[in-house]
Amino acid sequence: MNAIISISRRNFMIGVASTAGGLSIGFNLPFIKPALAEGAGTTPEVPEVNAWVVIRPDDTVVVRIARSEMGQGTLTGLAQLVAEELNCDWSKVTTEYPSPAKNLARDRVWGNFSTGGSRGIRESHDYVRMGGAVAREMLIAAAAAEWKVPASECTATKGVVTHAASDRTASYGQLAAAAAQMTPPANVTLKDPKDWTIAGRPLPRLDTADKLNGSQIYGTDLKLPNMLNAAIRACPYFGGKVKSFDAAAVAGMPGVRTVVQVGDTAVAVVADTWWRAKTALDALPVTWDEGPNRQVTSASIAAMLEEGLGADDAFIGNSQGDAGTALSTGRTVTATYAFPYQNHATMEPMNATALYTPERCEVWVPTQNGEASLAAAAEAADLPVQQCEVHKIHLGGGFGRRGMQDYVTQAVQIARELPGTPVKLIWSREEDMLQGRYHPITQCRLTGALDADGNLTALRMRISGQSILAAVMPQRMQDGMDPIIFQGLTAASPEGHIGYTIPNLLVDHAMRNPPIPPGFWRGVNLNQNAIYLECFMDELAHEAGVDPLAFRRKLMANHPKHLAVLDAVAERIGWNTPAADGVHRGLAQIMGFGSYVAAAAEVSVTDGQLRIHRIVAATDPGHVVNPAQIERQVEGSFVYGLSACIYGECTVNGGRMEQENFDSYEVMRMAEMPEVETIILPSGGFWGGVGEPTIAVAAPAVLNAIFAATGKRIRTLPLKNHDLA
Amino acid sequence: MARLIINSTPHEIEVDPDTPLLWVIREQIGLTGTKYGCGVAACGACTVHIDGAATRSCVLPVSAVGPDQQITTIEGLSPDSSHPLQQAWLQLDVPQCGYCQAGMIMAAAGLLTQNPNPSDEDINNEITNICRCGTYNRVRAAIKLAANGGEATQRG
């Protein structure tokens, strides 16, 4: 089964005729450094060596980065891969984003822009390295032609081409213009990763300095001449829409320019400043057509899923042996788990700035998928895609939410009411919380059978709940089945397969889709699947009277990479030696996003108060492009995963979400942050992701440690709803 | 008309007195390093200094700031990113997406002004800003690095 994750909503780009490009109406970006804003054309005086590499006369190397930087470090990692093959001077490297419209105009020379599923590097490492290698050969060819010597006698090192026999050298900056005229070589050989000197090293990020002094421009910070600001409110009832609003009531408020309905579902106020727009919006009388879902509550959704736990309609994700028969004999254990809705809660609320004229539409937006943003802009503007452009901006967090384009559509719809005037739309935090594309809700009933020796002979996992693909990418469904619901649980997949050999195994899914819009949320379905599987393995081990590590190891002989990361965390945490007084341990492992991951946690529970002292995490992503960035992603993943485990829950009442801000949607803060030790175990031979997989082992490792500490099995998240005393 | 001193520069501005200081700084003064995150003083992305004290500006009406009070934003923390915290942040490569980091640095600077050598407990109590990327451990390490004059220590 193919479980590759894609956040791209649209496949329209392929095959779209591309004739335009360069239709810019001459807007400049006075507050954005070219290197961080629109690329591929910001330095027209310097011809590119190829699509990936521009080298300026001062030897600055501009590496084009197609994927979006949202904190995960992909910008730096991809630049390292290009620079590695280019043999340039790393200290001279800077980056720029090519624009989605130029990608379209150039037959998608930069490939996929979609940034999600921990795919930024693992899906593009080959062609970006190729881009660097081809550029290197063109630079060498240019020098050889100039010196009238065979290219084979020239070498390129640290941004300089040398012909040793004649003792001549030329810098890349001197050669770039001539190199651009060279014919690209038909074949290049990529370096063996063991020979890397730039890639594979823990280099500092390229984008840190501007984040320390306020000069980094995010979408919310954008300033354009004559720009207006918009605040928006969409119907908070899922499936509802606007019935009426009284624009006249706020038309005279300070700074207000106009009040517009946005599609069927939302109302926006446009004003000179965002604060004035929001103030007027808060005062605007709006009546909603509350739609068909006013009776929907968290309880009604839970009942819908509970019915699915025993229903006959189910899609099979993994089937080995005969679980049904095997579970009818021997000692069985059954448990039901539940994982709630979560909001992405990026620190930067959704936003987009649009400038519309009847001939052209431009959008400036922090997006995880520039091409999907372009498609949304063209559709909302009702213009050919060739007459639209998207300018990508660094994201103040993405986590999957910014793969969706609803805010782009809204910004263009608003800008159409004000042709020729740029309008910046910023969602309030409340809008962000109420108009999420939520981590889907599921429950899981697990039954395991143990033989007389305490061996696991059969496992049945029935997942009941919501499909992401059915809502956002129905074209990826397979005969009605959502393949990604089974993340980490499938039999054989390079994306993530189960790490246990269980003679009789059945994993299936009863799809139950409540009327709440789901989305890809960092870690996606691996998060809850790891909780279900790994907490239940702990339950089975306890029932069998076997140490949880030993219990797992017996099932992992055929899964050496899963086992290696599990053994690594067990060894580092000191599994076979006693913990400090009052401290208890838990383990978990899973595979997802192409990487093998495991975690061990140490916790204490005193008078019901949980304290997570220490996490050890191991990851085998195959190849390592930047170990320092992997450490950061792993540390951060525990904040994301433990926030969900401890606090994360969006509850539904009256057909809408109840949580509207961080005061009711609490997240983890500094005081609760455990120490995190990261072990990187690259076994080579494959490319796994690192932004997401370790999230999945955070919660089960901690939950298993909580059981060790308290004897309580927490099967319904989040923890805040439980008394641990 | 309000008079505000921001990063040592006086400004005379026309503003509704109820406007939160955050939006005056961002939209009228044009300094966008200070961020909007929640609007209810829950996340700390909007942290600035008022007379040296870290303050969440998203719920503070501009009328509550006196004409002689010194407002400092991330842009004014140092002229050239040379504040010990900015240097420590750079050395440890703390930010991920970076959106919360100006508020983090300003909160930390406020802490170090009051308490030049904070313990873990002090940091836990004072730095309650939200970071969704999860930079907390590096934020803690950078505060300690800055407090120790740039010399790294083990977390303890």
Side-chain angles (χ1 to χ4, degrees), chain A residues 70-71 203-205 208-209 211-214 216-218 220-221 223 229 273-275 343-345 347-349 395-397 399 427-430 521-522 629 631-633 635-636 639-640 643 661-663 667-671 673-676, chain B residues 18-20 23 26-28 30-33 35-40 42-43 45 56 74-75 81 86 89-90 92-102 104-105 123-124 127-140 143 155:
Chain A
M70 49 189 159
L203 299 177
R205 298 173 64 111
T208 294
K211 295 175 177 174
L212 307 180
N213 58 20
Q216 174 72 59
I217 297 298
Y218 298 87
T220 48
D221 304 330
K223 297 168 193 160
N229 292 271
T273 69
W274 188 80
W275 180 254
N343 191 295
H344 299 79
M347 287 310 298
E348 179 189 28
L395 288 65
F399 313 127
W427 285 14
S428 66
R429 176 59 59 192
E430 289 78 9
W521 189 96
R522 188 179 179 187
Q629 298 314 319
E631 282 186 22
R632 284 164 178 77
Q633 285 305 294
E635 287 170 20
V639 178
Y640 215 69
S643 283
N661 209 315
F662 288 120
D663 50 1
V667 298
M668 195 179 200
R669 300 180 195 238
M670 180 92 82
M673 183 69 192
E675 289 183 48
V676 177
Chain B
D18 293 338
T19 306
W23 294 101
R26 285 182 56 83
E27 301 199 294
Q28 292 182 260
L31 296 173
T32 55
K35 297 297 191 252
Y36 166 69
C38 68
V40 297
C43 80
R56 293 185 176 176
I74 186 69
E75 292 91 345
S81 296
Q86 289 167 314
W89 244 253
L90 184 66
L92 299 184
D93 218 4
V94 173
Q96 291 188 27
C97 89
Y99 191 82
C100 73
Q101 297 285 306
M104 283 279 187
I105 291 171
I123 294 172
N124 287 346
I127 310 300
T128 57
N129 301 35
I130 294 174
C131 170
R132 291 288 283 158
C133 297
T135 61
Y136 295 130
N137 284 351
R138 281 166 208 272
V139 167
R140 182 194 303 280
I143 293 170
R155 185 188 162 193

Side-chain angles (χ1 to χ4, degrees), chain A residues 213-294:
Chain A
N213 58 20
S215 61
Q216 174 72 59
I217 297 298
Y218 298 87
T220 48
D221 304 330
L222 194 75
K223 297 168 193 160
L224 296 172
N226 306 314
M227 185 178 79
L228 296 175
N229 292 271
I232 195 164
R233 177 169 301 135
C235 181
Y237 305 100
F238 298 113
K241 53 191 179 185
V242 175
K243 182 185 271 179
S244 64
F245 59 95
D246 182 8
V250 301
M253 289 181 71
V256 171
R257 300 298 172 86
T258 186
V259 181
V260 299
Q261 181 164 340
V262 186
D264 291 337
T265 60
V267 182
V269 175
V270 182
D272 55 353
T273 69
W274 188 80
W275 180 254
R276 283 173 152 179
K278 180 185 183 296
T279 302
L281 181 67
D282 288 345
L284 179 71
V286 183
T287 306
W288 305 112
D289 171 350
E290 296 170 351
N293 298 312
R294 286 285 276 138

Side-chain angles (χ1 to χ4, degrees), chain A residues 437-600:
Chain A
R437 296 293 180 269
Y438 304 90
H439 185 296
I441 193 164
T442 59
Q443 297 183 7
C444 184
R445 178 165 294 159
L446 303 100
T447 305
L450 299 165
D451 68 15
D453 299 323
N455 296 304
L456 181 63
T457 56
L459 177 65
R460 173 91 165 78
M461 292 181 73
R462 160 58 63 87
I463 299 166
S464 173
Q466 194 161 8
S467 160
I468 301 171
L469 292 187
V472 306
M473 295 177 69
Q475 72 277 15
R476 292 277 313 280
M477 299 288 278
Q478 298 173 356
D479 295 329
M481 181 177 84
D482 176 352
I484 70 160
I485 197 81
F486 300 113
Q487 269 186 299
L489 303 175
T490 58
S493 162
E495 190 69 11
H497 52 90
I498 194 166
Y500 303 113
T501 301
I502 302 167
N504 302 289
L505 174 69
L506 178 60
V507 184
D508 61 8
H509 174 220
M511 191 183 302
R512 295 292 181 272
N513 293 326
I516 311 298
F520 295 101
W521 189 96
R522 188 179 179 187
V524 195
N525 292 313
L526 194 69
N527 295 339
Q528 73 273 15
N529 287 349
I531 292 170
Y532 302 156
L533 178 64
E534 287 300 284
C535 289
F536 193 64
M537 291 301 282
D538 213 70
E539 295 203 41
L540 291 165
H542 182 72
E543 184 67 26
V546 179
D547 170 81
L549 175 62
F551 184 82
R552 287 178 172 82
R553 292 188 94 254
K554 282 197 289 186
L555 304 169
M556 297 179 75
N558 299 327
H559 306 278
K561 291 184 179 179
H562 293 78
L563 181 59
V565 290
L566 181 64
D567 278 347
V569 298
E571 184 183 342
R572 177 73 68 84
I573 203 104
W575 187 261
N576 292 319
T577 59
D581 274 356
V583 173
H584 300 269
R585 293 175 179 145
L587 289 170
Q589 66 83 24
I590 198 92
M591 181 189 181
F593 305 95
S595 292
Y596 303 83
V597 296

